[in-house]
Protein backbone atom coordinates (compact mmCIF):
# COMPACT_ATOMS: atom_id res chain seq x y z
CA UNK A 1 0.00 0.00 0.00
CA UNK A 2 1.28 3.45 -0.90
CA UNK A 3 0.73 6.07 1.83
CA UNK A 4 0.09 9.70 0.85
CA UNK A 5 -0.65 12.73 3.01
CA UNK A 6 -3.59 15.08 2.63
CA UNK A 7 -2.64 18.65 1.68
CA UNK A 8 -4.70 21.77 2.41
CA UNK A 9 -4.88 24.57 -0.15
CA UNK A 10 -6.70 27.89 0.13
CA UNK A 11 -7.50 27.17 3.76
CA UNK A 12 -10.53 24.96 2.97
CA UNK A 13 -9.71 22.58 0.10
CA UNK A 14 -8.21 19.15 0.82
CA UNK A 15 -5.96 17.77 -1.91
CA UNK A 16 -4.51 14.29 -2.44
CA UNK A 17 -1.92 13.71 -5.17
CA UNK A 18 -2.34 10.60 -7.33
CA UNK A 19 0.48 8.18 -8.25
CA UNK A 20 2.22 9.25 -11.43
CA UNK A 21 2.51 5.66 -12.72
CA UNK A 22 -1.27 5.18 -12.38
CA UNK A 23 -1.91 8.45 -14.24
CA UNK A 24 0.41 7.49 -17.09
CA UNK A 25 -0.89 3.92 -17.41
CA UNK A 26 -4.41 5.26 -17.95
CA UNK A 27 -3.31 8.18 -20.12
CA UNK A 28 -5.04 10.75 -17.91
CA UNK A 29 -4.49 14.34 -19.02
CA UNK A 30 -4.82 17.71 -17.30
CA UNK A 31 -8.48 18.67 -16.62
CA UNK A 32 -9.73 15.11 -17.35
CA UNK A 33 -12.68 14.20 -15.08
CA UNK A 34 -12.12 11.52 -12.44
CA UNK A 35 -14.88 9.66 -10.62
CA UNK A 36 -14.74 9.46 -6.81
CA UNK A 37 -17.10 6.90 -5.26
CA UNK A 38 -17.66 6.53 -1.51
CA UNK A 39 -17.77 2.84 -0.56
CA UNK A 40 -19.81 1.25 2.22
CA UNK A 41 -16.69 0.59 4.32
CA UNK A 42 -15.68 4.27 4.27
CA UNK A 43 -13.02 3.92 1.56
CA UNK A 44 -12.98 5.97 -1.65
CA UNK A 45 -12.84 4.45 -5.10
CA UNK A 46 -11.10 6.62 -7.71
CA UNK A 47 -11.80 5.70 -11.31
CA UNK A 48 -11.29 7.36 -14.70
CA UNK A 49 -14.30 5.42 -15.99
CA UNK A 50 -17.07 7.80 -14.89
CA UNK A 51 -19.47 6.42 -17.50
CA UNK A 52 -19.71 2.65 -17.86
CA UNK A 53 -18.07 1.90 -21.17
CA UNK A 54 -17.93 -1.59 -22.53
CA UNK A 55 -14.21 -2.17 -22.45
CA UNK A 56 -13.37 -4.94 -24.89
CA UNK A 57 -12.13 -8.06 -23.15
CA UNK A 58 -10.88 -10.69 -25.56
CA UNK A 59 -10.44 -14.40 -24.86
CA UNK A 60 -8.98 -16.82 -27.40
CA UNK A 61 -9.44 -20.58 -27.42
CA UNK A 62 -6.92 -22.40 -29.69
CA UNK A 63 -8.50 -25.76 -30.52
CA UNK A 64 -5.21 -27.57 -29.98
CA UNK A 65 -5.65 -26.84 -26.26
CA UNK A 66 -9.30 -27.97 -26.24
CA UNK A 67 -9.47 -31.39 -27.94
CA UNK A 68 -12.73 -32.34 -26.19
CA UNK A 69 -15.82 -30.45 -27.48
CA UNK A 70 -17.46 -30.60 -24.02
CA UNK A 71 -14.33 -29.10 -22.49
CA UNK A 72 -14.58 -26.27 -25.03
CA UNK A 73 -18.27 -25.73 -24.21
CA UNK A 74 -17.61 -25.50 -20.49
CA UNK A 75 -14.74 -23.08 -21.15
CA UNK A 76 -16.94 -20.90 -23.35
CA UNK A 77 -19.52 -20.71 -20.56
CA UNK A 78 -16.72 -19.79 -18.15
CA UNK A 79 -15.56 -16.98 -20.46
CA UNK A 80 -19.14 -15.72 -20.73
CA UNK A 81 -19.58 -15.66 -16.95
CA UNK A 82 -16.22 -13.91 -16.49
CA UNK A 83 -17.44 -11.06 -18.71
CA UNK A 84 -15.37 -11.44 -21.90
CA UNK A 85 -16.95 -9.39 -24.66
CA UNK A 86 -15.14 -11.05 -27.58
CA UNK A 87 -14.35 -14.76 -27.76
CA UNK A 88 -12.30 -16.28 -30.57
CA UNK A 89 -12.02 -19.97 -31.40
CA UNK A 90 -9.02 -20.61 -33.64
CA UNK A 91 -7.58 -23.65 -35.37
CA UNK A 92 -4.45 -24.36 -37.43
CA UNK A 93 -6.68 -26.23 -39.90
CA UNK A 94 -10.35 -26.32 -40.75
CA UNK A 95 -12.66 -26.13 -37.75
CA UNK A 96 -14.42 -29.51 -37.31
CA UNK A 97 -18.23 -29.72 -37.55
CA UNK A 98 -18.45 -30.85 -33.90
CA UNK A 99 -16.85 -27.59 -32.78
CA UNK A 100 -19.27 -25.54 -34.87
CA UNK A 101 -22.11 -27.48 -33.24
CA UNK A 102 -20.69 -26.59 -29.81
CA UNK A 103 -20.59 -22.91 -30.77
CA UNK A 104 -24.22 -23.01 -31.94
CA UNK A 105 -25.23 -24.73 -28.71
CA UNK A 106 -23.35 -22.11 -26.69
CA UNK A 107 -25.10 -19.19 -28.41
CA UNK A 108 -28.47 -20.87 -27.75
CA UNK A 109 -27.61 -21.48 -24.08
CA UNK A 110 -26.51 -17.91 -23.33
CA UNK A 111 -28.06 -14.45 -23.62
CA UNK A 112 -26.45 -11.85 -25.87
CA UNK A 113 -23.81 -14.05 -27.54
CA UNK A 114 -23.74 -13.93 -31.35
CA UNK A 115 -21.36 -15.11 -34.06
CA UNK A 116 -19.77 -11.95 -35.47
CA UNK A 117 -17.32 -13.57 -37.88
CA UNK A 118 -16.74 -17.07 -39.17
CA UNK A 119 -14.04 -18.49 -41.44
CA UNK A 120 -12.67 -21.94 -42.18
CA UNK A 121 -10.23 -21.79 -39.26
CA UNK A 122 -11.77 -19.27 -36.82
CA UNK A 123 -15.03 -18.23 -35.19
CA UNK A 124 -15.50 -14.90 -33.40
CA UNK A 125 -18.29 -14.40 -30.89
CA UNK A 126 -19.36 -10.98 -29.61
CA UNK A 127 -21.55 -9.92 -26.72
CA UNK A 128 -24.36 -7.68 -27.96
CA UNK A 129 -26.18 -7.25 -24.63
CA UNK A 130 -25.83 -4.12 -22.51
CA UNK A 131 -25.76 -5.40 -18.90
CA UNK A 132 -27.53 -2.32 -17.57
CA UNK A 133 -30.58 -3.17 -19.71
CA UNK A 134 -31.20 -6.36 -17.69
CA UNK A 135 -31.77 -5.42 -14.01
CA UNK A 136 -31.05 -8.17 -11.49
CA UNK A 137 -34.51 -7.98 -9.97
CA UNK A 138 -36.25 -8.54 -13.31
CA UNK A 139 -34.08 -11.58 -14.05
CA UNK A 140 -34.77 -13.07 -10.61
CA UNK A 141 -38.51 -12.58 -11.15
CA UNK A 142 -38.30 -14.29 -14.53
CA UNK A 143 -36.36 -17.23 -13.07
CA UNK A 144 -38.95 -17.57 -10.31
CA UNK A 145 -41.89 -17.60 -12.75
CA UNK A 146 -40.27 -20.35 -14.84
CA UNK A 147 -39.26 -22.53 -11.88
CA UNK A 148 -42.65 -22.15 -10.18
CA UNK A 149 -44.39 -23.26 -13.39
CA UNK A 150 -41.97 -26.19 -13.73
CA UNK A 151 -42.83 -27.40 -10.22
CA UNK A 152 -46.58 -26.99 -10.76
CA UNK A 153 -46.49 -28.77 -14.13
CA UNK A 154 -44.41 -31.66 -12.75
CA UNK A 155 -47.04 -32.23 -10.06
CA UNK A 156 -49.91 -31.91 -12.53
CA UNK A 157 -48.19 -34.38 -14.86
CA UNK A 158 -48.04 -36.86 -11.97
CA UNK A 159 -51.70 -36.38 -11.09
CA UNK A 160 -52.95 -36.71 -14.66
CA UNK A 161 -50.29 -39.06 -16.04
CA UNK A 162 -49.23 -36.58 -18.75
CA UNK A 163 -45.84 -37.67 -20.12
CA UNK A 164 -45.48 -34.78 -22.60
CA UNK A 165 -45.90 -32.23 -19.83
CA UNK A 166 -43.27 -33.96 -17.69
CA UNK A 167 -40.86 -34.00 -20.65
CA UNK A 168 -41.50 -30.29 -21.22
CA UNK A 169 -40.56 -29.50 -17.61
CA UNK A 170 -37.08 -30.95 -18.19
CA UNK A 171 -36.72 -28.96 -21.43
CA UNK A 172 -37.40 -25.66 -19.61
CA UNK A 173 -34.42 -26.10 -17.28
CA UNK A 174 -32.16 -24.58 -19.96
CA UNK A 175 -34.10 -21.29 -19.72
CA UNK A 176 -33.38 -21.18 -15.99
CA UNK A 177 -29.68 -21.92 -16.51
CA UNK A 178 -29.20 -19.17 -19.06
CA UNK A 179 -30.82 -16.59 -16.77
CA UNK A 180 -28.64 -17.70 -13.86
CA UNK A 181 -25.51 -17.43 -16.03
CA UNK A 182 -26.59 -13.91 -17.00
CA UNK A 183 -26.81 -12.88 -13.34
CA UNK A 184 -23.45 -14.51 -12.65
CA UNK A 185 -21.94 -12.61 -15.60
CA UNK A 186 -23.38 -9.28 -14.45
CA UNK A 187 -22.08 -9.87 -10.93
CA UNK A 188 -18.60 -10.58 -12.34
CA UNK A 189 -18.74 -7.38 -14.41
CA UNK A 190 -19.74 -5.31 -11.37
CA UNK A 191 -16.84 -6.74 -9.37
CA UNK A 192 -14.45 -5.77 -12.19
CA UNK A 193 -16.02 -2.37 -12.89
CA UNK A 194 -17.76 -0.52 -10.02
CA UNK A 195 -19.02 2.10 -12.49
CA UNK A 196 -21.46 -0.51 -13.76
CA UNK A 197 -23.00 -0.89 -10.29
CA UNK A 198 -23.63 2.87 -10.26
CA UNK A 199 -25.20 2.70 -13.70
CA UNK A 200 -27.42 -0.22 -12.65
CA UNK A 201 -28.20 1.50 -9.33
CA UNK A 202 -27.20 -1.53 -7.28
CA UNK A 203 -24.51 -2.01 -4.67
CA UNK A 204 -21.92 -4.79 -5.12
CA UNK A 205 -23.27 -6.38 -1.90
CA UNK A 206 -26.80 -6.48 -3.28
CA UNK A 207 -25.48 -7.89 -6.56
CA UNK A 208 -23.77 -10.65 -4.57
CA UNK A 209 -27.04 -11.35 -2.74
CA UNK A 210 -28.96 -11.62 -6.01
CA UNK A 211 -26.28 -13.97 -7.36
CA UNK A 212 -26.64 -16.26 -4.32
CA UNK A 213 -30.44 -16.23 -4.64
CA UNK A 214 -30.18 -16.92 -8.37
CA UNK A 215 -27.95 -19.93 -7.73
CA UNK A 216 -30.46 -21.29 -5.22
CA UNK A 217 -33.43 -20.80 -7.57
CA UNK A 218 -31.47 -22.62 -10.27
CA UNK A 219 -31.09 -25.58 -7.91
CA UNK A 220 -34.82 -25.55 -7.18
CA UNK A 221 -35.33 -25.82 -10.94
CA UNK A 222 -32.99 -28.83 -11.03
CA UNK A 223 -35.19 -30.59 -8.47
CA UNK A 224 -38.34 -29.76 -10.43
CA UNK A 225 -36.66 -31.61 -13.31
CA UNK A 226 -35.86 -34.59 -11.06
CA UNK A 227 -39.52 -34.72 -10.02
CA UNK A 228 -40.60 -34.68 -13.67
CA UNK A 229 -38.12 -37.43 -14.57
CA UNK A 230 -39.41 -39.58 -11.72
CA UNK A 231 -42.97 -38.96 -12.91
CA UNK A 232 -41.93 -40.39 -16.29
CA UNK A 233 -40.68 -43.55 -14.56
CA UNK A 234 -43.92 -43.89 -12.63
CA UNK A 235 -45.98 -43.41 -15.77
CA UNK A 236 -44.22 -46.47 -17.23
CA UNK A 237 -44.14 -48.65 -14.10
CA UNK A 238 -47.35 -47.52 -12.47
CA UNK A 239 -47.96 -46.11 -8.99
CA UNK A 240 -50.36 -46.76 -6.16
CA UNK A 241 -52.99 -44.10 -6.89
CA UNK A 242 -53.68 -43.66 -3.18
CA UNK A 243 -50.23 -42.06 -2.90
CA UNK A 244 -51.01 -39.30 -5.41
CA UNK A 245 -53.01 -37.05 -3.04
CA UNK A 246 -50.27 -37.35 -0.38
CA UNK A 247 -47.51 -36.48 -2.85
CA UNK A 248 -49.59 -33.63 -4.29
CA UNK A 249 -50.21 -32.18 -0.84
CA UNK A 250 -46.50 -32.39 -0.07
CA UNK A 251 -45.70 -30.69 -3.39
CA UNK A 252 -48.14 -27.86 -2.66
CA UNK A 253 -46.55 -27.31 0.76
CA UNK A 254 -43.00 -27.21 -0.62
CA UNK A 255 -44.05 -24.82 -3.38
CA UNK A 256 -45.81 -22.55 -0.87
CA UNK A 257 -42.60 -22.19 1.14
CA UNK A 258 -40.69 -21.41 -2.06
CA UNK A 259 -43.29 -18.81 -3.09
CA UNK A 260 -43.12 -17.14 0.31
CA UNK A 261 -39.31 -17.06 0.21
CA UNK A 262 -39.27 -15.26 -3.15
CA UNK A 263 -41.99 -12.83 -2.08
CA UNK A 264 -39.90 -12.01 0.99
CA UNK A 265 -36.88 -11.27 -1.22
CA UNK A 266 -38.80 -8.40 -2.80
CA UNK A 267 -40.55 -7.22 0.37
CA UNK A 268 -37.35 -7.30 2.47
CA UNK A 269 -39.32 -8.40 5.55
CA UNK A 270 -36.86 -9.70 8.17
CA UNK A 271 -39.58 -11.15 10.42
CA UNK A 272 -41.16 -13.02 7.51
CA UNK A 273 -37.80 -14.45 6.48
CA UNK A 274 -37.35 -15.93 9.96
CA UNK A 275 -40.86 -17.39 9.83
CA UNK A 276 -40.06 -19.13 6.55
CA UNK A 277 -37.04 -20.87 8.11
CA UNK A 278 -39.22 -22.02 11.02
CA UNK A 279 -41.88 -23.32 8.59
CA UNK A 280 -39.27 -25.30 6.66
CA UNK A 281 -38.07 -26.90 9.89
CA UNK A 282 -41.63 -27.82 10.89
CA UNK A 283 -42.09 -29.70 7.60
CA UNK A 284 -39.16 -32.07 8.22
CA UNK A 285 -41.35 -34.80 9.72
CA UNK A 286 -43.66 -34.81 6.68
CA UNK A 287 -40.88 -35.95 4.36
CA UNK A 288 -39.69 -38.71 6.67
CA UNK A 289 -43.17 -40.27 6.85
CA UNK A 290 -42.81 -41.68 3.32
CA UNK A 291 -39.97 -44.00 4.33
CA UNK A 292 -42.23 -46.83 5.56
CA UNK A 293 -44.56 -46.48 2.57
CA UNK A 294 -41.90 -46.96 -0.10
CA UNK A 295 -40.44 -50.08 1.56
CA UNK A 296 -43.48 -52.03 0.39
CA UNK A 297 -43.07 -50.97 -3.27
CA UNK A 298 -41.19 -52.53 -6.13
CA UNK A 299 -37.64 -51.23 -6.53
CA UNK A 300 -38.07 -48.84 -9.48
CA UNK A 301 -41.37 -47.47 -8.18
CA UNK A 302 -39.87 -46.94 -4.71
CA UNK A 303 -36.80 -45.18 -6.13
CA UNK A 304 -38.99 -42.83 -8.20
CA UNK A 305 -41.29 -41.96 -5.27
CA UNK A 306 -38.30 -41.46 -2.97
CA UNK A 307 -36.74 -39.11 -5.52
CA UNK A 308 -39.93 -37.05 -5.70
CA UNK A 309 -40.12 -36.78 -1.91
CA UNK A 310 -36.40 -35.98 -1.58
CA UNK A 311 -36.63 -33.29 -4.26
CA UNK A 312 -39.61 -31.68 -2.53
CA UNK A 313 -37.59 -31.80 0.68
CA UNK A 314 -34.63 -30.13 -1.02
CA UNK A 315 -36.90 -27.43 -2.50
CA UNK A 316 -38.11 -26.63 1.03
CA UNK A 317 -34.51 -26.50 2.29
CA UNK A 318 -33.45 -24.26 -0.60
CA UNK A 319 -36.36 -21.94 0.19
CA UNK A 320 -35.02 -21.75 3.74
CA UNK A 321 -31.58 -20.97 2.29
CA UNK A 322 -33.07 -18.06 0.32
CA UNK A 323 -34.55 -16.70 3.56
CA UNK A 324 -31.14 -17.03 5.27
CA UNK A 325 -29.40 -15.21 2.40
CA UNK A 326 -31.94 -12.40 2.71
CA UNK A 327 -31.51 -12.20 6.49
CA UNK A 328 -27.74 -11.89 6.09
CA UNK A 329 -28.24 -9.05 3.61
CA UNK A 330 -30.85 -7.23 5.69
CA UNK A 331 -28.80 -7.47 8.88
CA UNK A 332 -25.74 -6.07 7.08
CA UNK A 333 -27.78 -3.01 6.08
CA UNK A 334 -29.02 -2.26 9.60
Amino acid sequence: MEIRKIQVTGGSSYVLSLPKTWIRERNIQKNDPIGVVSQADGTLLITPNIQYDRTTKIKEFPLKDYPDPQMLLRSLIGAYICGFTVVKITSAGRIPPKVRQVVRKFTQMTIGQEVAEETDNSITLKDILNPSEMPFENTIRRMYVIVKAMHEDAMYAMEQGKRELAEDVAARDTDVDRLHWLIHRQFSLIVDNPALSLRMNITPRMAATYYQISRTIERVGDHAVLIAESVLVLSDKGIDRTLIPKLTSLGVDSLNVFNQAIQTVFSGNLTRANQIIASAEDMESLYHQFGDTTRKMKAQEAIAVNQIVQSMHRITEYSSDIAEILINHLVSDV
Side-chain angles (χ1 to χ4, degrees), residues 100 134 152-153 155 191 296:
R100 296 186 186 276
M134 296 287 288
E152 291 172 337
D153 288 348
M155 298 308 301
V191 170
K296 304 172 186 177

Side-chain angles (χ1 to χ4, degrees), residues 110-178:
T110 52
I111 298 174
Q113 298 297 293
E114 296 292 340
V115 175
E117 186 178 342
E118 188 170 359
T119 66
D120 287 344
N121 57 4
S122 71
I123 300 175
T124 301
L125 298 166
K126 285 190 177 181
D127 177 39
I128 62 172
L129 179 69
N130 187 337
S132 62
E133 294 175 353
M134 296 287 288
F136 282 84
E137 184 174 318
N138 291 1
T139 307
I140 290 289
R141 288 186 188 277
R142 179 59 182 151
M143 287 183 71
Y144 162 63
V145 168
I146 295 173
V147 170
K148 176 176 177 287
M150 288 168 64
H151 189 294
E152 291 172 337
D153 288 348
M155 298 308 301
Y156 186 73
M158 181 181 65
E159 287 182 274
Q160 303 298 323
K162 293 185 177 292
R163 288 186 58 88
E164 288 143 1
L165 185 58
E167 290 168 352
D168 184 62
V169 169
R172 276 178 267 168
D173 192 43
T174 301
D175 295 333
V176 180
D177 289 341
R178 67 202 300 258

Side-chain angles (χ1 to χ4, degrees), residues 134-143 179-188 190 200-218 261-268 322 325-326 329-330 333:
M134 296 287 288
F136 282 84
E137 184 174 318
N138 291 1
T139 307
I140 290 289
R141 288 186 188 277
R142 179 59 182 151
M143 287 183 71
L179 289 169
H180 168 62
W181 291 337
L182 173 63
I183 285 182
H184 196 168
R185 175 183 173 84
Q186 288 175 309
F187 173 56
S188 298
I190 282 176
M200 295 185 71
N201 194 29
I202 186 172
T203 64
R205 179 184 288 134
M206 190 66 227
T209 298
Y210 275 135
Y211 165 66
Q212 290 176 292
I213 292 171
S214 165
R215 183 74 184 105
T216 309
I217 295 174
E218 189 265 339
I262 298 299
Q263 289 164 9
T264 306
V265 167
F266 298 114
S267 69
I322 290 173
I325 292 167
L326 181 63
H329 175 74
L330 293 174
D333 281 350

Side-chain angles (χ1 to χ4, degrees), residues 169-309:
V169 169
R172 276 178 267 168
D173 192 43
T174 301
D175 295 333
V176 180
D177 289 341
R178 67 202 300 258
L179 289 169
H180 168 62
W181 291 337
L182 173 63
I183 285 182
H184 196 168
R185 175 183 173 84
Q186 288 175 309
F187 173 56
S188 298
L189 289 169
I190 282 176
V191 170
D192 289 340
N193 190 341
L196 177 58
S197 69
L198 294 175
R199 188 176 180 88
M200 295 185 71
N201 194 29
I202 186 172
T203 64
R205 179 184 288 134
M206 190 66 227
T209 298
Y210 275 135
Y211 165 66
Q212 290 176 292
I213 292 171
S214 165
R215 183 74 184 105
T216 309
I217 295 174
E218 189 265 339
R219 287 172 176 166
V220 172
D222 289 342
H223 281 283
V225 171
L226 289 174
I227 292 172
E229 290 174 346
S230 297
V231 167
L232 290 172
V233 172
L234 293 175
S235 70
D236 292 334
K237 302 298 179 181
I239 182 175
D240 181 354
R241 298 300 298 178
T242 61
L243 273 180
I244 297 295
K246 296 179 182 178
L247 288 172
T248 301
S249 176
L250 202 59
V252 169
D253 289 342
S254 67
L255 183 59
N256 282 341
V257 177
F258 177 60
N259 290 339
Q260 291 167 20
I262 298 299
Q263 289 164 9
T264 306
V265 167
F266 298 114
S267 69
N269 189 317
L270 186 62
T271 301
R272 189 71 191 113
N274 281 280
Q275 291 172 346
I276 289 168
I277 295 173
S279 297
E281 291 172 350
D282 291 341
M283 290 178 63
E284 285 290 321
S285 61
L286 298 176
Y287 299 108
H288 298 309
Q289 290 174 4
F290 275 83
D292 293 334
T293 305
T294 55
R295 289 192 192 101
K296 304 172 186 177
M297 298 179 183
K298 294 179 181 179
Q300 287 183 311
E301 181 186 357
I303 290 171
V305 171
N306 275 329
Q307 180 61 73
I308 290 173
V309 174

Side-chain angles (χ1 to χ4, degrees), residues 14-26:
Y14 294 88
V15 179
L16 176 68
S17 63
L18 299 175
K20 186 181 294 184
T21 53
W22 182 79
I23 294 290
R24 287 177 174 173
E25 285 172 359
R26 285 149 188 82

